Amino acid sequence: ITRWWRQINTVGCCYFQGSRSCRLLTSTVIMLKSKTFVKKTRSGGVLKIVREHYLRDDIWCGSEVCTECKQESTVLQRDTCIESNLCAYPHYLIPDTNVVLHQIDVLEDPVIRNVIILQTVLQEVRHRSAPVYKRIKDIIHEKEKHFYTFTNEHHRETFIEREPGESANDRNDRAIRVAATWYTQHLKTSESAADGLKVVLLTNDQGNKQKAAESGLLVFKCEEYIKSLIANPELVDRLALTNDEKNEITSSKVLFPEHLPLSRIQAGIKSGSFLQGTFRASRDNYLEATVFVPGEGEDSTEVLLQGLQNLNRAVHQDVVAVQLLPRDHWVAPSSVVLQDEGMAKDENPEEEEEEKAVSVKPTGKVVGIIKRNWRPFCGMLNVSQIKESTRHLFTPADRRIPRIRIETRQASTLAGQRIMVAIDGWPKDSRYPNGHFVRSLGGAGEKDTEEEVLLLEHDVPHQAFSQAVLSFLPKMPWAITPEDMKQRQDLRQLTVCSVDPPGCTDIDDALHCRELDNGNLEVGVHIADVSHFIRPGNALDKEAANRGTTVYLCGKRIDMVPELLSSNLCSLRSNVERLAFSCIWEMNHEAEILKTWFTKSIINSKASLTYAEAQMRIDDTTMNDDITKSLRGLNKLAKILKRRRIENGALTLSSLEVRFHIDSETHDPIDLQTKELMETNSMVEEFMLLANISVAQKIYDEFSECALLRKHPAPPPSNYDILIKAAKSKNVAIHTDSAKALADSLDMATVDSFPYFNTLLRILATRCMMQAVYFCSGMDSDFHHYGLASPIYTHFTSPIRRYSDIIVHRLLAVAIGADSTYPDLMDKHKQSALCNNLNYRHKMAQYAQRASVAFHTQLFFKTRGVLNEEGFVLFVRKNAIIVLIPKFGMEGTVFFDSKDKTAPNLVFDEEGPTLTVEQHTFHIFDKVKVTISLDASNIQHQKIRMALIDPVISGVSVPAEDLEPQSKKSKLDR
């Protein structure tokens, strides 16, 4: 390693990361200093590292007006195109580190251009905030922004040594001033002097500003410069508040306890007097939250927080330190729904005394913030009633986020729009956090706007792929090369076909089945070879790893990889040659595996079928072509495989998926139906499961420490309480000792004259399950997949839409000698960190998909008025029933207490569970009839409202409206 570093630096190869002036430099180089140190590796070895710092004289200024620098291309423009009252001359901006960190929203605005980002600043930002670092790097890569990275730390005339007694922060401030001075002098000697082109330093540090002014630099505070811009007064709203301004907005009354300093927090956590965990705000009660304190295995705990003072300015997902209250102060979670209406009270919701005694939880208070997890939040502005006021409250779309006080002069324009706001701080004497306007997203309720909101709120990366990413795509026209042919098995002669949903363009998988000469069957699962096109560590790979998964919304797809790959070169379309990774088995006619092998291959799919088309071929006895024979063979084997899986204890659960029929012109939903599954859905699923299990075993056998696997933990027994009670109400017993016991009892769960009962029970069983997760084999010992009853499992079959599968392909390729390895692939710690990101991205993708279905359901009911539908009670609450409407695959809540009328007599029995409303008692799975309508009274939180028609309860039920011809009304007599 030492030799390698010396060799690189001796020939003078230097790469300045982040700059668009990056290139191979071979001019005069001086080695300034060399630092050698020894580092211990994770495996216990010792690594000698040599770091050498070189200075150069050929790092150019990047300005197109400069005649001194011998630069091939420039970034900074001659005409800087920005008018300011403070700077009536053309100028470039040099922001210091804190301006970049805190005013990134301003820097992202299109009006801010021709900015010099110093290497000193970039390095400090990288160490202090990964999200801001990514955003500033993205700005640098935008050509139209004209941001130039100047590598001042390697420039002979701008590098400075740290002086004795000087802090690192003061040294960096001085380095920024030295670089600004160099630019000022450098541009004076060029043609720019005639144009009056100057350099302006932006800093909010009073000491730095004073020293810069004393050395003759043009320097302004960021705020005064932004306020001076003539044509863009709205840019002021995007300014983050400085510490001085935060104090102006608050009152003199102290509302919250002081947060403890980090040193006291760390000491308290070490001694056990404080606990560290993640703050999780309640959606239903703004005065309540929990803090999840992770522990070993089952030892994780949850601390309940109630009251504003105990929440103490923590925001959802912050990492906080909590102190437990004495046991006699512990309370039970509130059952009251309480939205923040703006009152500054600090009351705990009233609760029944006997309830507290039954279910009190460890209760505490926040004593300090360890890490803020603030992000820009979507929501709407509550315009102040005070005339001409510039201070307003912003209400986030996420009910778990507190309202935010912002200052804006655009209130009348922003009213009725979805906007983004960032939090700047939350002083102890302010009821709400202070923040600033970031940008407008569009009119509330508009389809494009709401789609953008749900993507942002669920942290789904959806920006267009950058040029850096696209540069790693293969050049078109692309074709399979003779070299590819040599390294792969040629399977083009096989009758391979794909079976997918209608309109699918990202075809990951294809299948074949044929009879061998020895009477056995050969079955192949052929998966798109995405890892051939995405090589480890490049920009395309990093982007795919960050996105983690393709996200499918209603009528829209956010790809994990660029469309050239997802819908073209990787997609296993029919009648074109494609690269594949094949998993092939030799089986007997009882679907018993005799031999398994894996190979990189070339295939030519003979047909791209939908599930319905494949089913039609299987069922049509007049069809006997090779494709149909292959499908019939696959279907026959799949039925045997499924039966065997279920006999081994695999669960067959149920969830209603809906399909929207979209108007081709308006793109609004015109019909809503539940998806029907066919035999061919199950056929494809069985072979995907089999391939995933076969590959999981292979990569674990080869790489026991770093295989990327997927597990499904068994649910804790308490999860099944509601399922057992629901079945018991119909005199059906459910056994949950094992997956096999649960599967068997679900199979036997039937009620005469109520055939839909079993489906409802399986829907409820699905809600009891834990989330399946990715993990690294070297970091865990429990591999079992509960739902599939499989001892080992992974994901191999969808690399176009899941990054986990790309890693699994790479592991398998190394295992069979088809590709070479690389360090990160064999590093279990990095694999584990990757798994954490993939689990997060998959979870957020699921939530985004559900939110998209909910929004399109609202659009569907927006034009329908009120509909009468039959459904079933799925859950019983203290003041409501939750009803499932099978026709639409949707759920809604029928509330029995409302603000505008007297509440009926309600009696809730938790043991049942049952809810008695006046004289009628509701049980889980009772059939009911309800009206369904859209409640759009709160434009930000529109929801489906249900009201009871049948059973008729005096003062509670509403009369049925005869909305449809009798023949069209839905009946649920099953």
Side-chain angles (χ1 to χ4, degrees):
I1 286 176
T2 304
R3 276 202 308 273
W4 180 79
W5 271 107
R6 286 195 189 284
Q7 184 185 351
I8 287 291
N9 285 294
T10 305
V11 296
C13 298
C14 210
Y15 181 77
F16 301 121
Q17 193 174 18
S19 170
R20 293 224 309 279
S21 64
C22 298
R23 62 205 177 279
L24 191 70
L25 302 176
T26 53
S27 294
T28 311
V29 184
I30 299 172
M31 189 175 85
L32 183 69
K33 59 182 178 180
S34 172
K35 184 180 177 184
T36 305
F37 59 97
V38 175
K39 183 180 175 185
K40 190 177 179 182
T41 64
R42 285 199 183 110
S43 59
V46 174
L47 188 67
K48 183 181 179 185
I49 295 175
V50 177
R51 285 193 181 154
E52 298 174 344
H53 197 100
Y54 287 84
L55 299 183
R56 316 186 58 89
D57 62 0
D58 55 357
I59 296 170
W60 316 132
C61 70
S63 172
E64 69 180 19
V65 301
C66 178
T67 54
E68 300 282 312
C69 296
K70 300 178 179 67
Q71 46 207 358
E72 293 171 12
S73 61
T74 56
V75 175
L76 302 166
Q77 297 171 291
R78 179 185 294 273
D79 180 6
T80 57
C81 314
I82 191 161
E83 294 181 72
S84 160
N85 289 326
L86 281 176
C87 314
Y89 36 80
H91 56 277
Y92 299 148
L93 297 174
I94 298 182
D96 74 358
T97 305
N98 283 319
V99 169
V100 174
L101 280 169
H102 301 300
Q103 306 296 349
I104 188 70
D105 292 320
V106 170
L107 294 176
E108 283 178 330
D109 194 280
V111 78
I112 303 296
R113 288 181 290 175
N114 292 291
V115 177
I116 300 160
I117 301 293
L118 300 177
Q119 183 188 5
T120 307
V121 171
L122 204 56
Q123 286 173 344
E124 274 199 284
V125 169
R126 185 180 186 181
H127 289 132
R128 288 170 60 181
S129 173
V132 174
Y133 179 70
K134 184 181 185 309
R135 288 169 73 182
I136 194 67
K137 287 291 293 292
D138 287 344
I139 298 173
I140 289 165
H141 286 119
E142 280 182 50
K143 286 187 177 176
E144 59 275 10
K145 287 284 286 173
H146 299 281
F147 272 52
Y148 180 73
T149 308
F150 180 65
T151 46
N152 61 303
E153 296 290 354
H154 288 277
H155 194 291
R156 194 187 296 182
E157 295 176 33
T158 58
F159 173 78
I160 59 164
E161 293 271 21
R162 186 169 161 187
E163 293 176 350
E166 186 177 38
S167 72
N169 191 51
D170 287 346
R171 181 264 168 205
N172 288 341
D173 283 347
R174 188 161 60 88
I176 292 167
R177 294 194 300 273
V178 167
T181 303
W182 179 86
Y183 257 101
T184 302
Q185 299 299 328
H186 180 74
L187 292 176
K188 271 183 185 173
T189 62
S190 65
E191 290 178 15
S192 64
D195 299 333
L197 184 63
K198 297 186 178 358
V199 173
V200 173
L201 177 63
L202 297 182
T203 180
N204 288 327
D205 183 310
Q206 193 56 45
N208 194 23
K209 183 172 184 279
Q210 191 174 336
K211 287 175 183 173
E214 285 168 2
S215 62
L217 288 169
L218 282 167
V219 57
F220 299 107
K221 280 192 169 182
C222 185
E223 182 193 0
E224 60 182 333
Y225 175 79
I226 295 302
K227 285 182 175 176
S228 79
L229 299 182
I230 295 165
N232 302 87
E234 72 284 351
L235 199 53
V236 174
D237 291 350
R238 300 184 75 169
L239 281 166
L241 298 178
T242 61
N243 287 329
D244 297 341
E245 294 168 307
K246 287 174 193 171
N247 295 330
E248 284 174 25
I249 294 183
T250 58
S251 65
S252 55
K253 183 183 174 187
V254 175
L255 301 175
F256 296 99
E258 189 85 62
H259 286 148
L260 298 179
L262 207 53
S263 56
R264 289 236 351 238
I265 290 171
Q266 286 166 340
I269 290 170
K270 195 172 182 181
S271 67
S273 55
F274 301 152
L275 298 171
Q276 175 177 329
T278 305
F279 182 88
R280 295 174 176 172
S282 166
R283 284 183 196 276
D284 300 319
N285 186 340
Y286 77 102
L287 293 176
E288 186 170 281
T290 55
V291 172
F292 176 76
V293 182
E296 292 294 320
E298 305 279 309
D299 295 338
S300 299
T301 55
E302 239 181 14
V303 179
L304 182 66
L305 311 175
Q306 284 190 346
L308 283 178
Q309 290 223 326
N310 289 339
L311 301 181
N312 197 8
R313 296 171 284 153
V315 176
H316 183 63
Q317 292 296 336
D318 283 351
V319 179
V320 298
V322 289
Q323 183 176 28
L324 289 177
L325 300 176
R327 276 184 177 268
D328 57 348
H329 285 69
W330 288 11
V331 294
S334 168
S335 59
V336 178
V337 174
L338 199 59
Q339 299 300 328
D340 182 2
E341 302 296 341
M343 296 149 323
K345 61 182 182 180
D346 190 32
E347 299 147 17
N348 292 335
E350 292 177 21
E351 304 194 38
E352 300 162 20
E353 287 301 317
E354 65 267 20
E355 189 177 53
K356 282 194 179 184
V358 173
S359 56
V360 294
K361 290 183 69 174
T363 308
K365 62 180 180 181
V366 171
V367 294
I369 308 294
I370 295 166
K371 185 189 175 199
R372 289 290 194 189
N373 270 323
W374 294 342
R375 58 177 174 82
F377 300 105
C378 303
M380 294 183 73
L381 199 65
N382 290 56
V383 179
S384 171
Q385 300 303 306
I386 303 167
K387 197 177 179 185
E388 294 184 15
S389 172
T390 58
R391 290 176 184 170
H392 309 271
L393 276 179
F394 163 84
T395 303
D398 188 339
R399 292 183 187 274
R400 295 168 299 186
I401 307 300
R403 296 206 274 179
I404 302 165
R405 185 182 281 110
I406 70 165
E407 197 160 330
T408 177
R409 293 146 193 79
Q410 306 175 69
S412 57
T413 309
L414 298 178
Q417 292 201 343
R418 290 279 203 172
I419 63 171
M420 287 184 79
V421 162
I423 298 178
D424 297 324
W426 196 342
K428 64 187 177 194
D429 46 2
S430 173
R431 171 67 176 77
Y432 296 109
N434 299 322
H436 65 273
F437 168 76
V438 175
R439 65 187 174 104
S440 173
L441 299 169
E446 292 175 10
K447 193 175 171 188
D448 288 347
T449 304
E450 297 303 325
E451 213 162 61
E452 176 81 357
V453 168
L454 76 86
L455 290 170
L456 289 165
E457 283 297 290
H458 294 98
D459 195 16
V460 175
H462 59 287
Q463 68 281 8
F465 290 101
S466 69
Q467 282 305 312
V469 169
L470 298 175
S471 68
F472 286 97
L473 291 174
K475 302 293 177 277
M476 296 300 285
W478 174 85
I480 294 171
T481 64
E483 190 63 28
D484 294 328
M485 298 290 250
K486 277 185 213 167
Q487 296 170 351
R488 292 172 180 268
Q489 195 168 344
D490 189 349
L491 303 179
R492 289 175 293 179
Q493 80 287 357
L494 294 179
T495 307
V496 173
C497 67
S498 61
V499 185
D500 291 283
C504 177
T505 59
D506 52 342
I507 302 171
D508 284 289
D509 54 88
L511 299 153
H512 90 271
C513 176
R514 64 171 178 169
E515 193 157 342
L516 298 173
D517 294 340
N518 61 9
N520 292 329
L521 297 170
E522 180 188 272
V523 176
V525 167
H526 310 278
I527 305 300
D529 190 5
V530 182
S531 62
H532 172 85
F533 296 96
I534 300 180
R535 302 310 294 163
N538 67 26
L540 178 55
D541 183 48
K542 287 176 181 173
E543 182 66 23
N546 177 47
R547 294 189 178 215
T549 179
T550 292
V551 181
Y552 295 91
L553 306 181
C554 300
K556 184 173 183 176
R557 188 180 84 202
I558 291 100
D559 281 327
M560 180 184 81
V561 298
E563 192 177 17
L564 178 66
L565 296 183
S566 66
S567 295
N568 187 351
L569 302 186
C570 290
S571 184
L572 304 182
R573 302 187 301 187
S574 55
N575 302 312
V576 287
E577 292 178 0
R578 287 289 177 258
L579 303 180
F581 209 151
S582 299
C583 173
I584 302 171
W585 305 274
E586 184 177 335
M587 295 181 177
N588 61 24
H589 287 265
E590 293 307 308
E592 291 165 337
I593 297 170
L594 308 173
K595 184 182 173 188
T596 306
W597 68 98
F598 309 95
T599 181
K600 293 259 186 167
S601 60
I602 299 170
I603 65 166
N604 188 323
S605 172
K606 303 301 182 279
S608 300
L609 305 173
T610 65
Y611 290 115
E613 288 167 348
Q615 192 67 54
M616 186 189 71
R617 279 175 174 265
I618 291 168
D619 297 341
D620 187 347
T621 54
T622 64
M623 295 188 77
N624 282 300
D625 57 279
D626 288 346
I627 294 169
T628 306
K629 285 178 186 172
S630 178
L631 288 169
R632 286 187 187 132
L634 290 164
N635 197 39
K636 183 184 169 192
L637 291 169
K639 287 177 182 177
I640 300 169
L641 289 168
K642 185 172 184 177
R643 189 188 69 235
R644 197 177 295 146
R645 266 197 320 110
I646 291 168
E647 284 169 1
N648 290 335
L651 295 172
T652 307
L653 301 177
S654 183
S655 62
L656 294 178
E657 287 190 65
V658 297
R659 181 184 295 285
F660 291 95
H661 292 268
I662 305 288
D663 186 288
S664 58
E665 289 183 10
T666 65
H667 301 290
D668 287 337
I670 51 176
D671 196 11
L672 174 59
Q673 296 174 336
T674 51
K675 291 180 185 175
E676 283 187 37
L677 297 179
M678 303 178 185
E679 264 186 15
T680 44
N681 290 80
S682 179
M683 176 189 81
V684 172
E685 182 186 16
E686 285 306 315
F687 287 106
M688 297 307 113
L689 294 175
L690 189 61
N692 287 334
I693 292 166
S694 298
V695 170
Q697 193 62 57
K698 177 69 176 176
I699 62 172
Y700 178 63
D701 289 345
E702 292 288 335
F703 309 110
S704 60
E705 286 292 295
C706 59
L708 191 153
L709 303 174
R710 188 165 175 81
K711 68 174 179 176
H712 182 212
S718 59
N719 278 30
Y720 289 123
D721 288 351
I722 188 69
L723 179 68
I724 292 166
K725 286 178 181 178
K728 192 178 176 183
S729 70
K730 301 293 181 189
N731 297 316
V732 171
I734 294 290
H735 303 289
T736 59
D737 309 338
S738 65
K740 173 87 173 114
L742 175 61
D744 290 346
S745 51
L746 283 173
D747 286 343
M748 293 186 288
T750 57
V751 173
D752 291 343
S753 73
F754 190 4
Y756 200 67
F757 170 75
N758 191 268
T759 302
L760 287 169
L761 212 54
R762 290 181 192 274
I763 289 170
L764 208 53
T766 306
R767 310 293 172 89
C768 302
M769 293 298 136
M770 304 289 283
Q771 189 82 33
V773 290
Y774 296 110
F775 69 100
C776 176
S777 59
M779 304 291 280
D780 209 325
S781 55
D782 176 21
F783 293 8
H784 190 73
H785 197 292
Y786 180 80
L788 297 173
S790 176
I792 194 166
Y793 192 66
T794 193
H795 272 162
F796 164 75
T797 55
S798 296
I800 294 177
R801 60 186 179 89
R802 290 189 305 233
Y803 188 76
S804 55
D805 303 50
I806 292 178
I807 295 295
V808 169
H809 276 228
R810 289 174 181 167
L811 287 164
L812 184 61
V814 176
I816 65 170
D819 206 343
S820 52
T821 186
Y822 57 100
D824 284 7
L825 192 66
M826 298 295 140
D827 187 327
K828 66 181 181 181
H829 298 279
K830 288 189 175 171
Q831 286 281 49
S832 189
L834 174 65
C835 288
N836 291 338
N837 180 59
L838 295 179
N839 290 329
Y840 170 72
R841 291 294 187 207
H842 276 262
K843 182 172 70 175
M844 298 316 280
Q846 279 185 330
Y847 292 163
Q849 286 157 12
R850 287 177 202 164
S852 180
V853 168
F855 174 64
H856 279 75
T857 303
Q858 291 168 10
L859 286 179
F860 174 73
F861 282 103
K862 195 173 186 177
T863 56
R864 296 297 185 284
V866 181
L867 296 183
N868 303 332
E869 292 296 341
E870 289 178 336
F872 297 100
V873 176
L874 204 53
F875 298 102
V876 176
R877 300 284 184 248
K878 288 184 179 179
N879 62 342
I881 55 174
I882 293 164
V883 177
L884 174 75
I885 310 294
K887 178 182 174 182
F888 297 135
M890 61 178 284
E891 291 169 32
T893 307
V894 176
F895 287 100
F896 294 115
D897 56 350
S898 58
K899 293 176 185 175
D900 51 356
K901 59 182 181 181
T902 310
N905 183 36
L906 302 175
V907 180
F908 177 70
D909 176 10
E910 198 168 349
E911 279 307 302
T914 62
L915 176 65
T916 302
V917 183
E918 296 297 343
Q919 303 303 314
H920 185 87
T921 301
F922 289 97
H923 303 81
I924 292 180
F925 300 161
D926 281 358
K927 189 186 288 188
V928 293
K929 191 169 188 179
V930 295
T931 66
I932 310 172
S933 59
L934 178 67
D935 176 5
S937 56
N938 181 336
I939 193 165
Q940 177 154 249
H941 295 115
Q942 297 186 40
K943 56 190 175 216
I944 299 296
R945 188 172 289 284
M946 290 187 182
L948 189 69
I949 298 174
D950 188 49
V952 176
I953 302 172
S954 178
V956 175
S957 304
V958 297
E961 297 183 38
D962 197 17
L963 301 160
E964 302 175 76
Q966 201 67 29
S967 62
K968 287 191 179 178
K969 289 192 178 179
S970 75
K971 295 288 178 191
L972 291 175
D973 299 326
R974 293 175 289 171

